[in-house]
Amino acid sequence: MELLWSLIIGGLIGWLAGMITKRDIPGGVIGNIIAGFIGAWVGTWIFGDFGPEIGGFSIIPAIIGAILLVLVVSFILGKMGHNRNHHHA
């Protein structure tokens, strides 16, 4: 049950990061969960462990980390798509 709760919270963190940045996370629900987990790890690593904790996640660093992750991933994917579209110019 604890794993399910962590998956749900991770998915919500990833979804919230996508909503805040107005960028889609590739992979739908699974992408949101992955972004939430990786974002939480990055945010906690950079900012530490503070604020309210839900489902094993420190919510504030987790959301900030997920936002950073979404921005970096969308930037990289945007550059890859841009290069692919202009490859045969």
Side-chain angles (χ1 to χ4, degrees):
M1 188 68 183
E2 190 172 319
L3 175 62
L4 178 61
W5 185 241
S6 292
L7 291 173
I8 291 169
I9 299 301
L12 288 173
I13 290 168
W15 172 80
L16 187 59
M19 295 296 290
I20 291 169
T21 60
K22 294 180 173 46
R23 289 175 164 77
D24 287 332
I25 298 171
V29 172
I30 302 298
N32 283 334
I33 292 170
I34 292 169
F37 271 85
I38 295 173
W41 179 80
V42 168
T44 302
W45 180 67
I46 294 172
F47 301 109
D49 215 8
F50 68 92
E53 185 177 307
I54 302 173
F57 295 96
S58 294
I59 297 301
I60 295 169
I63 291 172
I64 295 169
I67 288 169
L68 293 173
L69 179 71
V70 168
L71 291 172
V72 168
V73 168
S74 66
F75 174 77
I76 291 169
L77 292 177
K79 286 292 184 185
M80 290 171 57
H82 179 75
N83 290 340
R84 188 178 308 130
N85 292 338
H86 291 87
H87 184 66
H88 297 290

